[in-house]
Amino acid sequence: MIFRHFYERALGSKVKVKLLQRLLNEEISASERELASMLGLSHTAVSKAMKEFHELHLVTPVHIGSALMWRTNKQSYAYKVLSRAMSKSPRQVMIELVADKLGKYRELQKVVLFGIVADGREERHSPVELLLVLRPDAKYEGYLRHSLDRALLELDQECRTLFGNGVAAHLASEEELSSKYKGVVEKGVQVIG
């Protein structure tokens, strides 16, 4: 999956995404012209999208004098589904999944998302690259190795199912951060630690 611009790709419209983000996150009543001005969009595009949102019962028209205002219908099915779906980006969901799976390991000093997924340059099947940094006193052997390998396998399977991207985990010691993985922690997204 390509994580960047997910909602624009899924909905097929930057206009709808901008409008949805405003309508779902703020309590507003506004005309189409006001919405277009607030969001830097064309009035025509906003008008078309609002009519489609009205058909979904997401917004309700309110006539104030001769002006037509739109109000978000927070009781609608569309609002409930879209507000849940758009509350987090797919990348945020993936980061939370990684934190949930690996956060229980006290032997891990840091877990960092890095590479092209972290940079937002991923392609459809780009791996989710993770750098796992062991604490200085931790040894990657025995129970830790068995348990962590199983957790990484489960994480890989969940990421493939949810997003279509596998996980590429790189295990490093604190010493390797300054040589082999120099700059990864600073450029990456810290998930744990």
Side-chain angles (χ1 to χ4, degrees):
M1 180 172 110
I2 298 176
F3 293 86
R4 66 187 180 283
H5 309 298
F6 173 79
Y7 294 112
E8 291 170 16
R9 291 168 191 256
L11 296 172
S13 168
K14 289 181 182 182
V15 171
K16 285 183 181 178
V17 171
K18 280 188 168 185
L19 280 167
L20 281 172
Q21 288 171 333
R22 180 59 67 102
L23 293 169
L24 297 174
N25 295 317
E26 295 179 30
E27 186 76 37
I28 61 167
S29 291
S31 71
E32 292 169 0
R33 288 196 190 285
E34 289 171 325
L35 287 167
S37 177
M38 281 188 264
L39 300 172
L41 301 169
S42 79
H43 175 255
T44 306
V46 169
S47 178
K48 181 178 182 233
M50 293 306 285
K51 284 178 180 60
E52 291 176 17
F53 291 158
H54 180 54
E55 290 171 2
L56 295 173
H57 200 51
L58 176 64
V59 294
T60 306
V62 178
H63 295 277
I64 300 176
S66 62
L68 173 65
M69 307 290 278
W70 290 101
R71 183 172 295 142
T72 306
N73 179 1
K74 292 188 172 189
Q75 303 307 311
S76 72
Y77 176 77
Y79 178 84
K80 291 175 182 179
V81 168
L82 290 168
S83 62
R84 234 179 292 129
M86 293 185 71
S87 66
K88 297 177 185 172
S89 72
R91 192 174 110 155
Q92 287 171 307
V93 171
M94 185 263 302
I95 288 170
E96 288 175 6
L97 177 63
V98 170
D100 183 56
K101 280 281 185 208
L102 302 178
K104 63 185 175 189
Y105 291 96
R106 292 174 297 178
E107 297 87 353
L108 293 175
Q109 183 173 321
K110 289 180 181 131
V111 175
V112 178
L113 170 68
F114 73 102
I116 61 176
V117 171
D119 295 344
R121 299 177 292 116
E122 72 279 356
E123 295 300 322
R124 190 162 162 250
H125 294 293
S126 296
V128 174
E129 290 189 272
L130 299 173
L131 178 62
L132 286 65
V133 182
L134 290 173
R135 294 195 182 281
D137 58 335
K139 301 285 185 241
Y140 183 61
E141 55 192 33
Y143 176 76
L144 174 61
R145 183 178 193 138
H146 176 74
S147 178
L148 189 55
D149 285 354
R150 185 176 327 150
L152 289 168
L153 181 61
E154 289 171 7
L155 179 61
D156 179 71
Q157 290 169 341
E158 284 186 56
C159 282
R160 286 180 192 278
T161 301
L162 285 172
F163 311 112
N165 304 73
V167 172
H170 306 265
L171 193 61
S173 63
E174 186 69 37
E175 300 84 54
E176 290 177 303
L177 288 181
S178 58
S179 58
K180 187 175 181 181
Y181 295 103
K182 187 174 182 158
V184 167
V185 175
E186 293 81 25
K187 291 179 186 175
V189 177
Q190 194 150 323
V191 178
I192 296 171

